[in-house]
């Protein structure tokens, strides 16, 4: 059966993120399967009205002002006329909302229920139950899913979380993971390495031709000082205590002799520069405060292996309120030569400007439903060190990832174990990593599984108006009856709009 699918979310291009990428990639695959797909979001800058993207993907940028964190103010009535017109004129047969953070997605599910259109919701995140933000979001989710046909989560941990938060039946929730384009996120080719080598050779030749000029350019402040007692950055020697165990099958440990003070900023013969890359929003839940503690320890201390000293550098991509914390650490400990801040990157630049530049990808999230970034990193051949939280243990087998507890000592252990395995040549080849992602995380497979959900949702009997009102009434002793009354009010508003402004559906 061919569907007309309407993807709805506050988060879509030109905004960048995992939800935006998921919607676009899934839409492209559904278009290839013969379905009609449209996307509805709010306006971004000068993008307002109708735009077309790859394969004539039709995108509606509604003239609704974002309220907070790129999400609109939840009013229901404000977007109702727009959504009604789009759903009816485009003859939409499935409404698919994305992200619990998106007010527009919740309102779209609400309107779809009023119009008797089957609806599906994909939850991309994990939430708590006690803080104010989680309470508000969980309340919206409960009322949105009361009359939603089916729900999709990206991990089994996410499914358990969503069932507890929204009180939906477990049999009405499916698990369909995210996917990655393994062709786009591929390891660095030999030709790309040759180009970089030519650039380095040219720079070396310039230094040889003008050695005196090159020496004058170097400042004494460029040299990194030895850590003093007052720096308060010592690592606990007993970093392998029982409280910091990893769930990775490989044993993660490091000897005190491997930690060496970085007294000389110049590499000794045979030494390597190990580059750790990190790409995420720089916010609290991504563990950026932990990264701020790790930077001075790892950059101002080296790694000793086979009597050779190796250096550790960082490349960080992303924007957010915690960026100032990272910059303060860089300034305080004079790490400008060791830590590169790239700022926010377009998704199309993640591979070339970040991932292929590194040896290790670091993820320090405190909560995560799936984490596409670690799959993209493995697809590019990187070794992943990640916190063992949320649905991350479900994403990759132990041979591709080092899972550690979300604290400084445990992450240090994981990083040093990963470096040792890289230098010893015990890691899977980059080609093997890319092949694993290609076979395990395919957007085509995600689209096929999503089609089955659409088929199931469209075959369910349409509940009566009284049943829908009752579902909302039972959601809570106080807010439930209020939402039921609002639902009835919106029902009569739609009847009035259909009378004064009828819409002829496209065939």
């Amino acid at each position: 059966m061919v569907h007309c699918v309407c993807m709805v979310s506050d988060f879509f291009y030109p905004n960048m993120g995992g939800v935006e990428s998921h919607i676009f990639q899934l839409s492209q695959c559904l278009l290839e399967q013969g379905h009609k797909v449209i996307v509805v979001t709010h306006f971004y800058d000068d993008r307002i009205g109708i735009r077309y993207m790859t394969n004539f993907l039709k995108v509606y940028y509604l003239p609704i002002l974002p309220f907070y964190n790129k999400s609109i103010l939840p009013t229901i009535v404000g977007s109702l006329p727009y959504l009604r017109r789009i759903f009816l004129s485009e003859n939409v047969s499935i409404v698919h909302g994305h992200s619990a953070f998106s007010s527009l997605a919740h309102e779209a599910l609400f309107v779809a229920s009023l119009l008797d259109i089957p609806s599906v919701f994909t939850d991309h995140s994990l939430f708590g139950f006690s803080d104010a933000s989680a309470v508000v979001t969980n309340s919206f989710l409960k009322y949105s899913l009361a009359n939603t046909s089916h729900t999709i989560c990206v991990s089994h941990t996410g499914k358990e979380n969503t069932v507890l938060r929204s009180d939906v039946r477990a049999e009405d929730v499916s698990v369909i993971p995210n996917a990655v384009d393994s062709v786009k996120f591929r390891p660095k080719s030999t030709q790309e390495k040759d180009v970089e080598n030519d650039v380095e050779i040219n720079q070396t030749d310039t230094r040889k031709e003008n050695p005196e000029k090159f020496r004058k350019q170097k400042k004494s402040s460029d040299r990194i000082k030895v850590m003093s007692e007052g720096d308060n950055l010592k690592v606990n020697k007993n970093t392998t205590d029982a409280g910091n165990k990893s769930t990775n099958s490989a044993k993660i440990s490091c000897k005190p002799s491997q930690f060496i003070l970085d007294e000389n900023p110049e590499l000794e013969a045979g030494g390597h520069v190990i580059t750790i890359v990190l790409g995420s929003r720089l916010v609290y839940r991504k563990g950026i405060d932990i990264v701020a503690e790790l930077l001075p320890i790892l950059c101002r201390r080296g790694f000793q292996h086979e009597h050779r000293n190796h250096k550790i550098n960082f490349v960080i991509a992303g924007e957010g309120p915690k960026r100032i914390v990272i910059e303060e650490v860089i300034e305080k400990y004079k790490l400008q030569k060791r830590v590169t801040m790239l700022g926010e990157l377009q998704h199309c630049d993640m591979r070339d400007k970040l991932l292929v530049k590194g040896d290790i990808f670091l993820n320090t999230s405190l909560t995560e439903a799936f984490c596409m970034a670690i799959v993209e990193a493995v697809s590019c051949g990187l070794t992943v060190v990640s916190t063992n939280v949320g649905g991350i243990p479900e994403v990759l087998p132990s041979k591709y990832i080092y899972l550690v507890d979300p604290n400084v000592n445990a992450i240090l252990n994981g990083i040093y174990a990963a470096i040792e395995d890289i230098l010893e040549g015990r890691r899977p080849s980059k080609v093997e990593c890319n092949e694993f992602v290609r076979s395990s995380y395919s957007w085509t497979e995600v689209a096929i599984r999503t089609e089955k959900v659409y088929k199931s949702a469209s075959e369910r009997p349409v509940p009566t108006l009284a049943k829908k009102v009752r579902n909302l009434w039972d959601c809570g002793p106080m807010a439930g009856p209020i939402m039921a009354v609002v639902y009835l009010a919106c029902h009569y508003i739609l009847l009035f709009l259909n009378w004064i402004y009828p819409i002829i559906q496209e065939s």
Side-chain angles (χ1 to χ4, degrees), residues 243-411:
N244 293 330
K245 293 182 179 178
S246 168
T247 58
N248 189 6
S249 61
K251 182 180 179 182
I252 294 180
S253 63
C254 49
K255 301 175 182 178
S257 60
Q258 291 175 321
F259 304 148
I260 55 101
L261 287 176
D262 192 6
E263 299 180 4
N264 186 357
E266 298 297 335
L267 276 177
E268 65 179 41
H272 292 84
V273 175
I274 303 297
T275 303
I276 299 175
V277 299
L278 186 148
S280 71
R281 291 188 296 274
L282 304 183
V283 295
Y284 170 76
R285 72 183 188 91
K286 293 295 183 179
I288 302 304
D289 293 300
I290 296 178
V291 176
E293 293 185 57
L294 289 171
L295 287 179
I297 299 173
L298 290 170
C299 290
R300 301 186 69 184
R301 287 176 177 259
F303 181 82
Q304 192 174 60
H305 178 71
E306 294 183 350
H307 306 292
R308 292 174 180 173
N309 296 339
H310 308 277
K311 290 187 177 297
I312 302 174
N313 290 345
F314 273 82
V315 180
I316 301 175
E319 284 290 350
K322 289 292 183 178
R323 173 166 182 159
I324 186 65
V325 177
I326 301 294
E327 291 178 339
E328 286 176 350
V329 169
I330 294 173
E331 182 68 24
K332 179 178 180 180
Y333 297 103
K334 298 181 173 60
L335 302 177
Q336 290 85 353
K337 297 293 184 180
R338 310 296 295 277
V339 181
T340 303
M341 300 290 291
L342 299 179
E344 185 175 6
L345 293 180
Q346 298 292 319
H347 192 254
C348 59
D349 295 328
M350 285 294 292
R351 179 212 177 244
D352 296 332
K353 294 185 178 180
L354 180 69
L355 295 179
V356 296
K357 304 292 185 183
D359 303 293
I360 296 173
F361 183 88
L362 178 62
N363 174 54
T364 57
S365 295
L366 303 179
T367 176
E368 199 76 68
F370 183 85
C371 192
M372 290 179 63
I374 64 175
V375 183
E376 293 170 349
V378 170
S379 185
C380 291
L382 275 69
T383 298
V384 174
V385 177
S386 174
T387 47
N388 182 19
V389 296
I392 290 179
E394 305 174 27
V395 178
L396 295 170
S398 58
K399 67 184 295 186
Y400 300 106
I401 186 172
Y402 293 82
L403 292 173
V404 296
D405 294 332
N407 61 71
V408 174
N409 283 344
I411 295 174

Side-chain angles (χ1 to χ4, degrees), residues 468-485:
K468 295 175 184 177
V469 173
R470 189 67 194 181
N471 289 342
L472 289 170
W473 189 286
D474 292 339
C475 284
M478 294 183 61
I482 294 175
M483 289 301 298
V485 171

Side-chain angles (χ1 to χ4, degrees), residues 54-68:
T54 307
N55 292 332
F56 296 99
L57 175 62
K58 192 174 185 179
V59 183
Y60 285 88
Y61 289 93
L62 302 183
I64 303 177
L65 189 68
F67 173 68
Y68 174 73

Side-chain angles (χ1 to χ4, degrees), residues 462-495:
V462 179
T464 62
L465 177 62
K467 175 62 175 175
K468 295 175 184 177
V469 173
R470 189 67 194 181
N471 289 342
L472 289 170
W473 189 286
D474 292 339
C475 284
M478 294 183 61
I482 294 175
M483 289 301 298
V485 171
V486 172
Y487 188 88
L488 281 174
C490 291
H491 172 73
Y492 290 115
I493 290 174
L494 281 177
L495 293 179

Side-chain angles (χ1 to χ4, degrees), residues 2-67:
V2 177
H3 292 285
C4 177
V5 182
C6 181
M7 304 282 184
V8 187
S9 181
D10 281 304
F11 312 110
F12 194 65
Y13 296 136
N15 190 48
M16 302 304 302
V19 176
E20 294 85 344
S21 176
H22 181 102
I23 295 173
F24 178 78
Q25 295 289 353
L26 179 58
S27 299
Q28 293 298 321
C29 289
L30 291 174
L31 287 171
E32 292 177 359
Q33 298 291 337
H35 300 284
K36 178 182 177 182
V37 183
I38 62 175
V39 178
V40 176
T41 186
H42 62 74
F43 79 92
Y44 281 92
D45 299 327
D46 60 339
R47 293 199 182 196
I48 188 169
I50 299 176
R51 298 290 183 96
Y52 287 89
M53 300 182 71
T54 307
N55 292 332
F56 296 99
L57 175 62
K58 192 174 185 179
V59 183
Y60 285 88
Y61 289 93
L62 302 183
I64 303 177
L65 189 68
F67 173 68

